[in-house]
Each structure stands twice: as structure tokens, then as C-alpha cells.
Amino acid sequence: MKWLNDLKARLKPKNTAEREKMKKYLVVFPLMFISCIASIWLIFAPGEDDGKTNGGANTELPDGSTEGIEGNKIAAYEAQAHLEETEQRNAQAVQLEVVTDSITAPQDTVSNEVQSSAEAYQQVQASLQDFYIPEDNSAVQVAELQARIDELEAQNAMVQQSQQPNEMELMEQSYKLAAQYLGTGNGSQQAVIVDQG
């Protein structure tokens, strides 16, 4: 019983720091352990659909007969070999044709390429020249527009002249105003006196 008393003495907290440490051991660590076990169980627990697969075994396996499979494989290998042979023949024929063409007419192809390039250059130059040439009716349109501008300028000048007052009338009006406000005329003195009275 001595060892039991020693164990109780060791587990009995002596101050607040030891009490907090014991709480950690007795409360926090078991809660963490339980939450970890619960989350692992939720992740790896069997689902509702797992019971329908007959214990996880696939029951729809082939019966193991090899009659149809062997025939299909042999036919597939033969077809693949035949296809490779035809591709090799075609590649050899193309190489042979290229070699014979390059031997027989290398100079003809160079002259044909230069000639076709020159023709293409001439066609491009002709299309560019056609693009920048102005049409004949543009000169007629410019002349019509110039005549219309001259006509509108003449109308504008007439309107401005009719709106401008005569210089003599302006001078008479300015003289009347000066006489009225400066008092140099006979009629203007009376008007000033009447206004002040």
C-alpha cells in the first residue's frame, strides 16, 4: 500500500501551476484524443453505398474463357503489321519520287520559282498603283464644292453689309448721346434740369 500512497502524493497538486498542469493532462489531452478518433472514424467509416456491393467484391468478373480473346489479339497484331508495311511502302515511294524529281529538274524549278515571284510582284505593284490613282470625277466634285463655297461667301458678305448700320447714322447717335450727358447742346441742358428738378 505504500506505493499507492506514493502515487497519491505525486498526483496531488501542491500549488496552482501544478493544478493547471494536471487539468491539461486530465482534460485537454483526452478531449484531443477523442476528437481525433471521431474525425478518423467519420473519414473512414463505411458509407450507405458500401453495403450494396456485396461486401466490396465485384461479382461481374469474366468467366475466364480465352477463345474470343486469342482470336482478336492475333487479328489485331496481323492488322497492325499490315498497316506498318503499307506505311513503309508509301514512305519509300515518296522518297523515290522526291529523289527522281530533284535529279531531273532542279534548274526548271528554280526558273519557275523566279518567274512566279516576278509575276506576283508585278500584280502587287499594279494593285497598289490602282489603289492610289484618284478618279476623274473627283476633280469635278472639287470644282462644284469650290463654286458652292464662293456662293456661300458672297451670301455671307451681303448679310453682313445689310446688318451693319450706316456710319453717318452712328455718328449722329453718338453726338446726341454726348450732347445729352455732357450738356453742350441747348436741348440737353433742359433735359438735365428737368431730371434734377
Side-chain angles (χ1 to χ4, degrees):
M1 284 296 245
K2 184 178 178 185
W3 63 272
L4 188 60
N5 290 334
D6 289 339
L7 184 63
K8 284 182 183 179
R10 286 185 186 171
L11 292 178
K12 188 174 183 181
K14 295 177 179 70
N15 56 21
T16 58
E18 287 184 17
R19 283 185 188 146
E20 293 295 322
K21 193 174 183 182
M22 291 301 276
K23 279 185 185 178
K24 186 186 336 178
Y25 288 130
L26 294 175
V27 176
V28 174
F29 287 139
L31 285 176
M32 288 175 51
F33 180 73
I34 290 171
S35 64
C36 181
I37 295 295
S39 60
I40 289 174
W41 182 78
L42 288 174
I43 291 172
F44 295 110
E48 296 173 7
D49 297 336
D50 290 343
K52 296 178 184 176
T53 59
N54 298 328
N58 187 2
T59 58
E60 298 180 15
L61 292 176
D63 59 353
S65 64
T66 59
E67 296 170 3
I69 295 175
E70 287 178 10
N72 288 340
K73 282 185 178 181
I74 293 171
Y77 286 134
E78 289 175 355
Q80 186 178 3
H82 180 65
L83 182 63
E84 288 175 1
E85 288 177 12
T86 55
E87 287 178 358
Q88 286 178 352
R89 285 187 210 142
N90 289 340
Q92 289 174 356
V94 168
Q95 287 177 353
L96 182 62
E97 185 177 327
V98 168
V99 168
T100 55
D101 287 345
S102 65
I103 291 172
T104 57
Q107 296 172 352
D108 294 338
T109 57
V110 171
S111 64
N112 288 338
E113 290 175 358
V114 170
Q115 187 177 3
S116 64
S117 175
E119 290 174 0
Y121 177 75
Q122 289 173 356
Q123 289 175 353
V124 168
Q125 287 298 323
S127 66
L128 285 176
Q129 289 174 355
D130 290 343
F131 182 75
Y132 289 112
I133 294 175
E135 296 180 11
D136 293 336
N137 61 1
S138 64
V140 173
Q141 290 176 350
V142 169
E144 290 175 1
L145 289 174
Q146 187 62 39
R148 180 72 178 149
I149 289 171
D150 293 339
E151 180 183 341
L152 290 173
E153 285 178 352
Q155 288 177 357
N156 191 19
M158 291 177 135
V159 168
Q160 285 180 355
Q161 286 178 357
S162 65
Q163 289 179 352
Q164 289 180 351
N166 191 2
E167 289 182 19
M168 291 302 287
E169 291 175 3
L170 284 174
M171 299 244 337
E172 287 178 11
Q173 288 177 357
S174 64
Y175 179 73
K176 286 180 184 176
L177 286 172
Q180 181 180 0
Y181 289 110
L182 295 176
T184 56
N186 292 334
S188 63
Q189 283 284 354
Q190 294 173 353
V192 173
I193 294 174
V194 171
D195 287 336
Q196 289 178 358

